[in-house]
Amino acid sequence: MSDSFCPDCKKHTEVAFDHSAGDTVCTECGLVLEAHSVDETSEWRTFANESNDNDPVRVGGPTNPLLTDGGLSTVIAKPNGAQGEFLSSSLGRWQNRGANPDRSLILAFRTIANMADRLGLVATIKDRANEIYKKVEDLKSIRGRNQDAILAACLYIACRQEDRPRTVKEICSVANGATKKEIGRAKEFIVKQLEVEMGQSMEMGTIHAGDFLRRFCSTLGMNNQAVKAAQEAVQRSEALDIRRSPISIAAAVIYMITQLSDDKKPLKDISLATGVAEGTIRNSYKDLYPYASRLIPNTYAREEDLKNLCTP
């Protein structure tokens, strides 16, 4: 129940909702305050034919402009899982004759969606990866190539273009067996094919160390103060001429920041969290060490505290 103003009682009174008639009734005088109102809340009745199906959904899936029929084709379900009987029936024969021309695309999109879900990527990245794959598939140039590597490369490129980059190692972890080298080759192949098709260079987006930092810090369980200091240090490092990859710089900054905190992180743990080899982190740290006083915020560490940093 809720309160509403009743003109007969001339005060706010409790009202009752008659959902069957759509009426709002004053509980004190019985006056109908509102008639035939529309209930805009969700209706969770089940409209399925099967008695044991509790799915309340009454609509189909969304249309997909990348598919020939928009993804709205009809598929005849197999009764009670009887595969053999279904295939021998007339319905089964017609189902097979009218094979979906987009079957390979649907399987590819499903694989991309599974990889994106395992990495926690948003829907816009999935859609962009689907678009990239559709363009490459239309060129008929991927036959005979590693399909898993092609799909993983599409997802990698989509992440770059949507300014949510992932490392090749992260993509490789969900790529169904495709190696980093195969994904790298597939990425170069896709970019080359699309650039030839478009007649111009393909925009991939710029990678910054800060794109990976918060995710790495979260994996290592760093506190908020350390994360903020690392983010500020990474931003300041962009003004320096450090010829290292953004991922290596992010890993080295994390190593530097954690040395100045009570919760020090072993180099091995940082290497596992970032996917950067321990030797590469050491070399990147060696390049950053001379600029430590310019990188580390004064609010996080004072000048004398920097003496606690390990000498490379």
Side-chain angles (χ1 to χ4, degrees), residues 132-254:
I132 295 171
Y133 179 80
K134 180 66 165 61
K135 290 178 181 178
V136 177
E137 205 268 348
D138 287 344
L139 297 176
K140 307 297 182 185
S141 58
I142 59 175
R143 291 178 180 175
R145 294 185 174 270
N146 187 328
Q147 180 76 351
D148 291 327
I150 292 291
L151 295 174
C154 290
L155 190 60
Y156 175 81
I157 295 172
C159 290
R160 291 276 301 269
Q161 292 183 340
E162 292 294 323
D163 295 326
R164 293 292 183 272
R166 291 294 187 273
T167 65
V168 178
K169 189 170 184 178
E170 288 177 300
I171 299 293
C172 184
S173 66
V174 298
N176 301 321
T179 64
K180 289 173 61 176
K181 183 178 291 187
E182 290 172 336
I183 295 173
R185 289 175 178 171
K187 188 262 291 185
E188 296 297 332
F189 171 77
I190 291 172
V191 171
K192 183 178 179 180
Q193 291 292 315
L194 294 183
E195 285 181 343
V196 170
E197 177 68 16
M198 295 185 299
Q200 60 183 16
S201 60
M202 185 175 179
E203 180 61 38
M204 289 283 289
T206 305
I207 296 180
H208 301 280
D211 295 332
F212 308 97
L213 191 72
R214 179 170 287 277
R215 192 165 68 256
F216 293 160
C217 292
S218 176
T219 303
L220 289 165
M222 295 170 59
N223 58 51
N224 290 333
Q225 185 181 8
V227 173
K228 290 180 180 178
Q231 287 179 318
E232 189 170 343
V234 161
Q235 290 177 354
R236 294 180 180 184
S237 70
E238 293 182 357
L240 305 175
D241 185 21
I242 307 296
R243 299 186 180 182
R244 295 284 177 179
S245 70
I247 303 172
S248 300
I249 292 176
V253 166
I254 291 174

Side-chain angles (χ1 to χ4, degrees), residues 19-193:
H19 294 282
S20 59
D23 295 339
T24 303
V25 183
C26 173
T27 57
E28 294 192 10
C29 67
L31 178 68
V32 177
L33 302 177
E34 185 178 357
H36 306 295
S37 58
V38 177
D39 186 1
E40 297 180 353
T41 59
S42 300
E43 184 176 25
W44 294 117
R45 289 186 294 167
T46 300
F47 289 83
N49 293 328
E50 294 79 4
S51 59
N52 60 348
D53 189 351
N54 294 321
D55 186 5
V57 177
R58 291 189 288 160
V59 297
T63 59
N64 189 339
L66 300 179
L67 300 178
T68 304
D69 55 9
L72 299 178
S73 59
T74 300
V75 178
I76 304 172
K78 301 174 181 60
N80 301 323
Q83 178 76 15
E85 296 179 6
F86 173 75
L87 292 176
S88 62
S89 65
S90 58
L91 285 177
R93 288 194 298 271
W94 279 108
Q95 177 77 30
N96 289 333
R97 288 176 186 173
N100 192 339
D102 293 325
R103 181 174 297 176
S104 61
L105 270 181
I106 294 172
L107 292 175
F109 293 166
R110 192 175 299 161
T111 302
I112 289 174
N114 289 336
M115 290 192 295
D117 289 340
R118 290 170 64 185
L119 289 173
L121 303 177
V122 296
T124 53
I125 295 179
K126 298 180 195 177
D127 295 340
R128 178 60 66 90
N130 290 343
E131 291 174 10
I132 295 171
Y133 179 80
K134 180 66 165 61
K135 290 178 181 178
V136 177
E137 205 268 348
D138 287 344
L139 297 176
K140 307 297 182 185
S141 58
I142 59 175
R143 291 178 180 175
R145 294 185 174 270
N146 187 328
Q147 180 76 351
D148 291 327
I150 292 291
L151 295 174
C154 290
L155 190 60
Y156 175 81
I157 295 172
C159 290
R160 291 276 301 269
Q161 292 183 340
E162 292 294 323
D163 295 326
R164 293 292 183 272
R166 291 294 187 273
T167 65
V168 178
K169 189 170 184 178
E170 288 177 300
I171 299 293
C172 184
S173 66
V174 298
N176 301 321
T179 64
K180 289 173 61 176
K181 183 178 291 187
E182 290 172 336
I183 295 173
R185 289 175 178 171
K187 188 262 291 185
E188 296 297 332
F189 171 77
I190 291 172
V191 171
K192 183 178 179 180
Q193 291 292 315

